Coordinates of all heavy atoms in Angstrom, one line a residue:
M1443 N 97.6 95.0 93.2 CA 97.3 94.7 94.6 C 95.9 94.3 94.7 O 95.0 94.7 94.0 CB 97.5 96.0 95.5 CG 98.9 96.5 95.6 SD 99.9 95.3 96.5 CE 100.1 96.2 98.0
N1444 N 95.6 93.4 95.6 CA 94.3 92.9 95.9 C 93.9 93.3 97.3 O 94.8 93.5 98.2 CB 94.2 91.4 95.8 CG 94.6 90.9 94.4 OD1 94.0 91.4 93.4 ND2 95.5 90.0 94.2
L1445 N 92.6 93.3 97.6 CA 92.1 93.6 98.9 C 91.7 92.2 99.5 O 91.0 91.4 98.9 CB 90.9 94.5 98.8 CG 90.2 94.8 100.2 CD1 91.2 95.7 101.1 CD2 89.0 95.6 100.0
Y1446 N 92.2 92.0 100.7 CA 92.0 90.8 101.5 C 91.3 91.1 102.8 O 91.7 92.0 103.5 CB 93.2 90.0 101.7 CG 93.8 89.4 100.5 CD1 94.8 90.1 99.8 CD2 93.5 88.2 100.0 CE1 95.4 89.6 98.6 CE2 94.0 87.7 98.8 CZ 94.9 88.4 98.1 OH 95.5 87.9 96.9
T1447 N 90.2 90.4 103.1 CA 89.5 90.5 104.3 C 89.9 89.4 105.2 O 89.9 88.2 104.8 CB 88.0 90.5 104.1 OG1 87.6 91.6 103.2 CG2 87.2 90.6 105.4
M1448 N 90.4 89.7 106.4 CA 90.8 88.7 107.4 C 89.8 88.6 108.5 O 89.4 89.6 109.1 CB 92.2 89.1 108.0 CG 93.1 89.8 107.0 SD 93.7 88.7 105.7 CE 95.0 87.8 106.6
V1449 N 89.3 87.4 108.7 CA 88.4 87.1 109.8 C 88.9 86.1 110.8 O 89.2 85.0 110.4 CB 87.0 86.6 109.2 CG1 86.0 86.4 110.3 CG2 86.5 87.5 108.1
L1450 N 89.2 86.6 112.0 CA 89.8 85.7 113.0 C 88.7 85.3 114.0 O 88.1 86.2 114.6 CB 90.9 86.4 113.7 CG 91.5 85.6 114.9 CD1 92.3 84.4 114.4 CD2 92.4 86.5 115.8
D1451 N 88.6 84.0 114.3 CA 87.7 83.5 115.3 C 88.7 83.1 116.4 O 89.5 82.2 116.2 CB 86.8 82.4 114.9 CG 85.7 82.9 113.9 OD1 85.1 83.9 114.2 OD2 85.5 82.2 112.9
F1452 N 88.5 83.7 117.6 CA 89.4 83.3 118.7 C 88.8 83.6 120.1 O 88.3 84.7 120.3 CB 90.8 84.1 118.6 CG 91.7 83.8 119.8 CD1 92.3 82.6 119.9 CD2 91.9 84.8 120.7 CE1 93.1 82.3 121.0 CE2 92.7 84.6 121.8 CZ 93.4 83.3 122.0
H1453 N 88.7 82.5 120.9 CA 88.3 82.6 122.2 C 86.9 83.4 122.4 O 86.8 84.2 123.2 CB 89.4 83.3 123.1 CG 89.4 82.9 124.5 ND1 88.9 83.7 125.5 CD2 89.8 81.8 125.1 CE1 89.0 83.1 126.7 NE2 89.6 82.0 126.4
G1454 N 86.0 83.0 121.5 CA 84.6 83.6 121.6 C 84.5 84.9 120.9 O 83.4 85.5 120.9
G1455 N 85.5 85.4 120.3 CA 85.4 86.7 119.6 C 85.7 86.6 118.1 O 86.4 85.6 117.7
T1456 N 85.2 87.5 117.3 CA 85.4 87.6 115.9 C 86.1 88.9 115.6 O 85.5 90.0 116.0 CB 84.1 87.4 115.1 OG1 83.5 86.2 115.5 CG2 84.4 87.4 113.6
Y1457 N 87.2 88.9 114.9 CA 88.0 90.1 114.7 C 88.2 90.2 113.1 O 88.6 89.2 112.5 CB 89.4 90.0 115.4 CG 89.2 89.7 116.8 CD1 89.2 88.4 117.3 CD2 89.2 90.7 117.7 CE1 89.0 88.1 118.6 CE2 89.0 90.5 119.1 CZ 89.0 89.2 119.6 OH 88.8 88.9 120.9
I1458 N 87.8 91.3 112.6 CA 87.8 91.5 111.1 C 88.6 92.7 110.7 O 88.5 93.8 111.4 CB 86.4 91.7 110.6 CG1 85.5 90.5 111.0 CG2 86.4 91.8 109.1 CD1 84.0 90.7 110.8
T1459 N 89.5 92.5 109.7 CA 90.3 93.7 109.2 C 90.6 93.4 107.7 O 90.3 92.3 107.2 CB 91.6 93.9 110.0 OG1 92.2 95.1 109.7 CG2 92.5 92.7 109.8
Q1460 N 91.1 94.4 107.1 CA 91.4 94.2 105.6 C 92.8 94.8 105.4 O 93.3 95.7 106.0 CB 90.4 95.0 104.8 CG 89.0 94.4 104.8 CD 88.1 95.2 103.9 OE1 88.0 96.4 104.0 NE2 87.3 94.4 103.2
F1461 N 93.5 94.1 104.4 CA 94.8 94.5 103.9 C 94.9 94.5 102.4 O 94.3 93.6 101.8 CB 95.9 93.6 104.4 CG 96.1 93.7 105.9 CD1 95.4 92.9 106.8 CD2 97.1 94.6 106.4 CE1 95.6 93.0 108.2 CE2 97.3 94.7 107.8 CZ 96.6 93.9 108.6
D1462 N 95.6 95.5 101.8 CA 95.9 95.4 100.4 C 97.3 94.7 100.3 O 98.2 95.0 101.1 CB 96.1 96.8 99.9 CG 94.8 97.6 99.6 OD1 93.9 97.0 99.0 OD2 94.7 98.7 100.1
A1463 N 97.3 93.7 99.5 CA 98.5 92.9 99.3 C 98.5 92.2 97.9 O 97.5 92.1 97.3 CB 98.6 91.8 100.4
A1464 N 99.7 91.8 97.5 CA 99.8 91.1 96.2 C 99.2 89.7 96.2 O 98.7 89.2 95.3 CB 101.3 91.1 95.8
T1465 N 99.4 89.0 97.4 CA 98.9 87.6 97.5 C 98.2 87.4 98.8 O 98.4 88.2 99.8 CB 100.1 86.6 97.4 OG1 100.9 86.7 98.5 CG2 100.9 86.8 96.1
A1466 N 97.5 86.3 99.0 CA 96.9 86.0 100.3 C 98.0 85.8 101.3 O 97.8 86.2 102.5 CB 96.0 84.8 100.1
V1467 N 99.1 85.2 101.0 CA 100.1 85.0 102.0 C 100.7 86.3 102.4 O 101.0 86.5 103.6 CB 101.2 84.0 101.4 CG1 102.5 84.0 102.4 CG2 100.7 82.6 101.3
D1468 N 100.9 87.2 101.5 CA 101.4 88.6 101.9 C 100.4 89.3 102.8 O 100.8 90.0 103.7 CB 101.6 89.5 100.6 CG 102.7 89.0 99.8 OD1 103.6 88.2 100.3 OD2 102.8 89.4 98.6
A1469 N 99.1 89.1 102.6 CA 98.1 89.7 103.5 C 98.2 89.1 104.9 O 98.1 89.8 105.9 CB 96.7 89.5 102.9
V1470 N 98.4 87.7 105.0 CA 98.5 87.1 106.2 C 99.8 87.6 107.0 O 99.8 87.9 108.2 CB 98.6 85.5 106.1 CG1 99.0 84.9 107.4 CG2 97.2 85.0 105.6
T1471 N 100.9 87.8 106.2 CA 102.1 88.3 106.8 C 101.9 89.7 107.4 O 102.3 89.9 108.5 CB 103.2 88.3 105.7 OG1 103.4 87.0 105.3 CG2 104.5 88.8 106.3
A1472 N 101.2 90.5 106.6 CA 100.9 91.9 107.1 C 100.0 91.8 108.4 O 100.3 92.6 109.3 CB 100.2 92.7 106.0
W1473 N 99.1 90.9 108.4 CA 98.2 90.8 109.5 C 98.9 90.3 110.7 O 98.8 90.9 111.8 CB 97.0 89.8 109.2 CG 96.1 89.6 110.3 CD1 95.0 90.3 110.6 CD2 96.1 88.5 111.2 NE1 94.4 89.8 111.7 CE2 95.0 88.7 112.1 CE3 97.0 87.4 111.4 CZ2 94.8 87.8 113.1 CZ3 96.7 86.5 112.4 CH2 95.6 86.7 113.3
C1474 N 99.8 89.3 110.6 CA 100.6 88.8 111.7 C 101.5 89.9 112.2 O 101.7 90.0 113.5 CB 101.4 87.6 111.2 SG 100.3 86.1 111.0
N1475 N 102.1 90.7 111.3 CA 103.0 91.7 111.8 C 102.3 92.8 112.6 O 102.7 93.2 113.7 CB 103.7 92.4 110.6 CG 104.7 91.5 110.0 OD1 105.3 90.6 110.6 ND2 105.0 91.8 108.7
E1476 N 101.1 93.1 112.2 CA 100.3 94.1 112.9 C 99.8 93.5 114.3 O 99.8 94.2 115.3 CB 99.0 94.5 112.1 CG 98.2 95.6 112.8 CD 97.1 96.1 112.0 OE1 97.3 96.9 111.1 OE2 95.9 95.6 112.2
L1477 N 99.4 92.3 114.3 CA 99.0 91.6 115.5 C 100.1 91.6 116.5 O 99.9 91.9 117.7 CB 98.6 90.2 115.2 CG 98.1 89.3 116.4 CD1 96.8 90.0 117.0 CD2 97.8 87.9 115.9
Q1478 N 101.3 91.3 116.1 CA 102.5 91.3 117.0 C 102.8 92.7 117.5 O 103.1 92.9 118.7 CB 103.7 90.7 116.4 CG 103.6 89.2 116.3 CD 104.9 88.6 115.7 OE1 105.4 88.9 114.7 NE2 105.4 87.6 116.5
E1479 N 102.9 93.7 116.6 CA 103.3 95.0 116.9 C 102.3 95.7 117.8 O 102.7 96.4 118.8 CB 103.5 95.9 115.6 CG 104.7 95.5 114.8 CD 104.7 96.1 113.5 OE1 103.9 97.1 113.2 OE2 105.6 95.7 112.7
E1480 N 101.0 95.5 117.6 CA 100.0 96.2 118.3 C 99.4 95.4 119.5 O 98.7 95.9 120.3 CB 98.8 96.5 117.4 CG 99.1 97.4 116.2 CD 99.6 98.8 116.6 OE1 99.1 99.3 117.6 OE2 100.5 99.4 115.9
Q1481 N 99.8 94.1 119.6 CA 99.4 93.2 120.7 C 97.9 93.3 120.8 O 97.3 93.4 121.9 CB 100.1 93.6 122.0 CG 101.5 93.3 122.0 CD 101.8 91.8 122.0 OE1 101.5 91.1 122.9 NE2 102.4 91.3 121.0
L1482 N 97.2 93.1 119.6 CA 95.7 93.3 119.5 C 94.9 92.3 120.4 O 93.8 92.6 120.7 CB 95.3 93.2 118.1 CG 95.9 94.3 117.2 CD1 95.6 94.0 115.7 CD2 95.4 95.7 117.6
L1483 N 95.5 91.1 120.7 CA 94.8 90.1 121.5 C 95.5 90.0 122.9 O 95.3 88.9 123.5 CB 94.8 88.8 120.8 CG 94.1 88.8 119.4 CD1 94.3 87.4 118.7 CD2 92.6 89.1 119.6
G1484 N 96.2 90.9 123.3 CA 96.9 90.9 124.6 C 98.2 90.0 124.5 O 98.8 89.9 123.4
E1485 N 98.5 89.4 125.6 CA 99.8 88.7 125.7 C 99.9 87.5 124.8 O 101.0 87.0 124.5 CB 100.1 88.3 127.1 CG 99.1 87.4 127.7 CD 99.4 87.2 129.2 OE1 99.6 88.1 129.9 OE2 99.3 86.0 129.6
V1486 N 98.8 86.9 124.3 CA 98.9 85.8 123.4 C 99.1 86.2 121.9 O 99.2 85.3 121.0 CB 97.6 84.9 123.5 CG1 97.5 84.3 124.9 CG2 96.4 85.6 123.1
S1487 N 99.1 87.5 121.6 CA 99.2 88.0 120.2 C 100.4 87.4 119.5 O 100.3 86.9 118.3 CB 99.2 89.5 120.2 OG 98.0 90.0 120.7
S1488 N 101.6 87.4 120.1 CA 102.8 87.0 119.4 C 102.7 85.5 119.1 O 103.1 85.0 118.1 CB 104.0 87.3 120.2 OG 104.2 88.7 120.3
D1489 N 102.2 84.7 120.1 CA 102.1 83.3 119.9 C 101.1 82.9 118.8 O 101.4 82.1 117.9 CB 101.6 82.6 121.2 CG 102.6 82.6 122.3 OD1 103.8 82.7 122.0 OD2 102.2 82.5 123.5
I1490 N 100.0 83.6 118.7 CA 99.0 83.4 117.6 C 99.6 83.8 116.3 O 99.5 83.1 115.3 CB 97.7 84.1 117.9 CG1 97.0 83.5 119.1 CG2 96.8 84.1 116.7 CD1 95.8 84.2 119.6
A1491 N 100.3 85.0 116.2 CA 100.9 85.4 115.0 C 101.9 84.4 114.5 O 101.9 84.1 113.3 CB 101.5 86.8 115.2
E1492 N 102.8 84.0 115.4 CA 103.8 83.0 115.0 C 103.1 81.7 114.5 O 103.6 81.1 113.5 CB 104.8 82.8 116.1 CG 105.6 84.0 116.4 CD 106.5 83.8 117.6 OE1 106.6 82.7 118.2 OE2 107.0 84.9 118.1
G1493 N 102.1 81.2 115.2 CA 101.5 80.0 114.9 C 100.7 80.1 113.5 O 100.8 79.1 112.7
I1494 N 100.1 81.2 113.3 CA 99.4 81.4 112.0 C 100.4 81.5 110.9 O 100.2 80.9 109.8 CB 98.5 82.6 112.0 CG1 97.3 82.4 113.0 CG2 98.1 83.0 110.6 CD1 96.2 81.5 112.5
M1495 N 101.5 82.1 111.1 CA 102.6 82.2 110.0 C 103.1 80.9 109.7 O 103.3 80.6 108.5 CB 103.7 83.1 110.5 CG 103.4 84.6 110.4 SD 103.0 85.2 108.7 CE 104.6 84.8 107.9
I1496 N 103.3 80.0 110.7 CA 103.8 78.7 110.4 C 102.8 77.9 109.6 O 103.1 77.3 108.6 CB 104.1 77.9 111.7 CG1 105.4 78.5 112.4 CG2 104.3 76.4 111.5 CD1 105.6 78.1 113.8
D1497 N 101.5 78.0 110.0 CA 100.5 77.3 109.2 C 100.3 77.8 107.8 O 100.2 77.1 106.9 CB 99.2 77.3 110.0 CG 98.2 76.2 109.5 OD1 98.7 75.1 109.2 OD2 97.0 76.5 109.4
A1498 N 100.3 79.1 107.7 CA 100.0 79.8 106.4 C 101.1 79.7 105.4 O 100.9 79.5 104.2 CB 99.5 81.2 106.6
V1499 N 102.4 79.9 105.9 CA 103.5 80.0 105.1 C 104.2 78.6 104.9 O 104.4 78.1 103.8 CB 104.5 81.1 105.6 CG1 105.7 81.1 104.7 CG2 103.8 82.4 105.6
E1500 N 104.6 78.0 106.0 CA 105.3 76.8 105.9 C 104.4 75.6 105.5 O 104.8 74.8 104.7 CB 106.0 76.4 107.3 CG 107.1 77.4 107.6 CD 107.8 77.1 109.0 OE1 107.7 76.0 109.4 OE2 108.4 78.0 109.5
N1501 N 103.2 75.6 106.0 CA 102.3 74.5 105.6 C 101.4 74.9 104.5 O 100.6 74.0 104.0 CB 101.4 74.1 106.9 CG 102.3 73.5 108.0 OD1 103.4 73.0 107.8 ND2 101.8 73.6 109.2
R1502 N 101.3 76.1 104.1 CA 100.5 76.7 103.1 C 99.1 76.9 103.5 O 98.5 76.2 104.3 CB 100.5 75.8 101.8 CG 101.9 75.7 101.2 CD 101.9 75.0 100.0 NE 100.9 75.4 99.0 CZ 100.9 75.2 97.8 NH1 101.8 74.5 97.3 NH2 99.9 75.6 97.0
L1503 N 98.5 78.0 103.1 CA 97.1 78.3 103.3 C 96.3 77.2 102.7 O 96.6 76.7 101.7 CB 96.7 79.6 102.7 CG 97.1 80.9 103.4 CD1 96.9 82.1 102.5 CD2 96.5 81.1 104.7
V1504 N 95.2 76.8 103.4 CA 94.3 75.8 102.9 C 93.1 76.4 102.2 O 92.5 77.3 102.8 CB 93.8 74.9 104.1 CG1 92.7 73.9 103.7 CG2 95.0 74.3 104.8
E1505 N 92.9 76.0 101.0 CA 91.7 76.5 100.3 C 90.4 76.0 100.9 O 90.4 74.8 101.3 CB 91.7 76.1 98.8 CG 92.8 76.8 98.0 CD 92.8 76.5 96.6 OE1 91.7 76.3 96.0 OE2 93.9 76.3 96.0
V1506 N 89.4 76.8 101.1 CA 88.2 76.4 101.7 C 87.4 75.7 100.6 O 87.1 76.3 99.6 CB 87.4 77.5 102.4 CG1 86.0 77.0 102.9 CG2 88.2 78.1 103.5
E1507 N 87.1 74.4 100.8 CA 86.4 73.6 99.8 C 85.1 74.2 99.4 O 84.2 74.6 100.2 CB 86.2 72.2 100.3 CG 85.7 71.2 99.3 CD 85.5 69.8 99.9 OE1 86.3 69.5 100.8 OE2 84.7 69.1 99.4
G1508 N 84.9 74.3 98.1 CA 83.6 74.8 97.5 C 83.5 76.3 97.4 O 82.5 76.8 96.9
L1509 N 84.6 77.0 97.8 CA 84.6 78.5 97.7 C 85.7 78.9 96.8 O 86.8 78.2 96.8 CB 84.6 79.1 99.1 CG 83.5 78.8 100.0 CD1 83.8 79.4 101.4 CD2 82.2 79.2 99.5
H1510 N 85.6 80.1 96.2 CA 86.6 80.6 95.4 C 87.3 81.8 96.2 O 86.6 82.6 96.8 CB 86.1 81.2 94.1 CG 85.4 80.1 93.3 ND1 86.2 79.2 92.5 CD2 84.1 79.8 93.1 CE1 85.3 78.4 91.9 NE2 84.1 78.7 92.2
N1511 N 88.6 81.8 96.1 CA 89.4 82.9 96.7 C 89.2 83.0 98.2 O 89.2 84.1 98.8 CB 89.2 84.2 96.0 CG 89.6 84.1 94.6 OD1 90.5 83.5 94.2 ND2 88.8 84.8 93.7
V1512 N 89.1 81.9 98.9 CA 88.9 81.8 100.4 C 89.9 80.8 100.9 O 89.9 79.6 100.4 CB 87.5 81.5 100.8 CG1 87.3 81.5 102.3 CG2 86.5 82.5 100.2
W1513 N 90.7 81.1 101.9 CA 91.6 80.2 102.5 C 91.5 80.3 104.0 O 90.9 81.2 104.6 CB 93.0 80.6 102.1 CG 93.3 80.7 100.6 CD1 93.8 79.8 99.8 CD2 93.1 81.9 99.8 NE1 93.9 80.2 98.5 CE2 93.4 81.5 98.5 CE3 92.6 83.1 100.0 CZ2 93.4 82.4 97.4 CZ3 92.4 84.0 98.9 CH2 92.8 83.6 97.6
C1514 N 92.1 79.4 104.7 CA 92.2 79.4 106.1 C 93.5 78.9 106.7 O 94.3 78.2 106.0 CB 91.0 78.7 106.8 SG 91.1 76.9 106.6
A1515 N 93.8 79.4 107.9 CA 95.0 78.9 108.6 C 94.6 78.9 110.1 O 93.6 79.6 110.5 CB 96.1 79.9 108.4
A1516 N 95.2 78.0 110.9 CA 94.8 77.9 112.3 C 96.0 77.6 113.1 O 97.1 77.1 112.6 CB 93.8 76.8 112.4
T1517 N 95.9 77.9 114.4 CA 96.9 77.5 115.4 C 96.2 77.4 116.8 O 95.2 77.9 117.0 CB 98.0 78.6 115.5 OG1 99.0 78.2 116.4 CG2 97.4 79.9 116.0
T1518 N 96.9 76.6 117.6 CA 96.5 76.5 119.0 C 97.6 77.1 119.9 O 97.6 76.8 121.1 CB 96.1 75.1 119.4 OG1 97.2 74.2 119.1 CG2 94.9 74.6 118.7
A1519 N 98.5 77.8 119.3 CA 99.7 78.3 120.0 C 99.4 79.2 121.1 O 100.1 79.3 122.1 CB 100.6 79.0 119.0
G1520 N 98.2 79.9 121.1 CA 97.9 80.8 122.1 C 96.9 80.2 123.1 O 96.3 80.9 124.0
G1521 N 96.7 78.9 123.0 CA 95.8 78.2 123.9 C 94.6 77.6 123.1 O 94.8 76.6 122.4
P1522 N 93.5 78.3 123.1 CA 92.3 77.9 122.3 C 92.6 78.0 120.8 O 93.5 78.7 120.4 CB 91.2 78.8 122.7 CG 91.7 79.6 123.9 CD 93.2 79.5 123.9
L1523 N 91.8 77.3 120.0 CA 92.0 77.4 118.6 C 91.8 78.8 118.1 O 90.8 79.5 118.5 CB 90.9 76.5 117.9 CG 90.9 76.6 116.4 CD1 92.2 76.0 115.8 CD2 89.7 75.9 115.8
A1524 N 92.7 79.3 117.3 CA 92.6 80.6 116.6 C 92.5 80.2 115.1 O 93.4 79.6 114.5 CB 93.8 81.4 116.8
L1525 N 91.3 80.5 114.5 CA 91.1 80.2 113.1 C 91.0 81.5 112.3 O 90.2 82.4 112.6 CB 89.7 79.4 113.0 CG 89.3 79.1 111.5 CD1 90.3 78.2 110.9 CD2 87.9 78.5 111.6
L1526 N 91.9 81.6 111.3 CA 91.9 82.8 110.5 C 91.4 82.5 109.1 O 92.0 81.6 108.4 CB 93.4 83.3 110.3 CG 93.5 84.6 109.5 CD1 92.8 85.8 110.1 CD2 95.0 84.9 109.2
N1527 N 90.4 83.1 108.6 CA 89.9 83.0 107.3 C 90.3 84.2 106.5 O 90.3 85.3 107.0 CB 88.3 82.9 107.3 CG 87.8 81.6 107.8 OD1 88.0 80.6 107.2 ND2 87.3 81.7 109.0
V1528 N 90.8 83.9 105.3 CA 91.3 85.0 104.4 C 90.5 85.0 103.1 O 90.4 83.9 102.5 CB 92.8 84.7 104.0 CG1 93.4 85.7 103.1 CG2 93.7 84.5 105.3
I1529 N 89.9 86.1 102.8 CA 89.0 86.2 101.7 C 89.4 87.3 100.7 O 89.6 88.5 101.1 CB 87.6 86.6 102.2 CG1 87.1 85.5 103.3 CG2 86.6 86.7 101.0 CD1 86.2 86.1 104.3
E1530 N 89.7 86.9 99.5 CA 90.0 87.9 98.5 C 88.7 88.7 98.2 O 87.7 88.1 97.8 CB 90.6 87.3 97.2 CG 91.1 88.4 96.2 CD 91.7 87.7 95.0 OE1 92.2 86.6 95.1 OE2 91.8 88.4 94.0
T1531 N 88.8 90.0 98.4 CA 87.6 90.8 98.4 C 87.7 91.8 97.3 O 88.7 92.4 97.0 CB 87.5 91.6 99.7 OG1 87.6 90.7 100.8 CG2 86.2 92.4 99.8
H1532 N 86.6 92.0 96.5 CA 86.6 92.9 95.4 C 85.8 94.2 95.9 O 84.7 94.1 96.2 CB 85.9 92.3 94.2 CG 86.7 91.1 93.7 ND1 87.8 91.3 92.9 CD2 86.5 89.8 93.9 CE1 88.3 90.1 92.6 NE2 87.5 89.2 93.2
A1533 N 86.5 95.3 96.0 CA 85.9 96.5 96.4 C 85.0 97.0 95.3 O 85.4 96.9 94.1 CB 87.0 97.6 96.7
S1534 N 83.9 97.6 95.6 CA 83.0 98.1 94.6 C 83.5 99.4 94.1 O 84.1 100.2 94.8 CB 81.6 98.3 95.1 OG 81.6 99.2 96.2
A1535 N 83.4 99.7 92.8 CA 83.8 101.0 92.2 C 82.8 102.1 92.6 O 81.6 101.9 92.5 CB 83.9 100.8 90.7
S1536 N 83.4 103.1 93.2 CA 82.5 104.2 93.6 C 82.6 105.4 92.6 O 83.6 105.7 92.1 CB 82.9 104.8 95.0 OG 83.3 103.8 95.8

């Protein structure tokens, strides 16, 4: 399992969370499921989750040019642009 940090920029806010997952797409799937279940962004949560899933899974995550282990997905399904950055994160050994 890898640790992935998810950074969502949406409607003037930045939302950050982390998931353990086998792949970046699995992390996005877990994030989308939590977003829908918890309605973390209010009534647009389901639209954003569905839009991100389409972009990340059907269209594939886009590698961020010049960076390693960083991808992005985006949607305008909830109105304004929702940009999700996915970063494979290495936890420090304690």
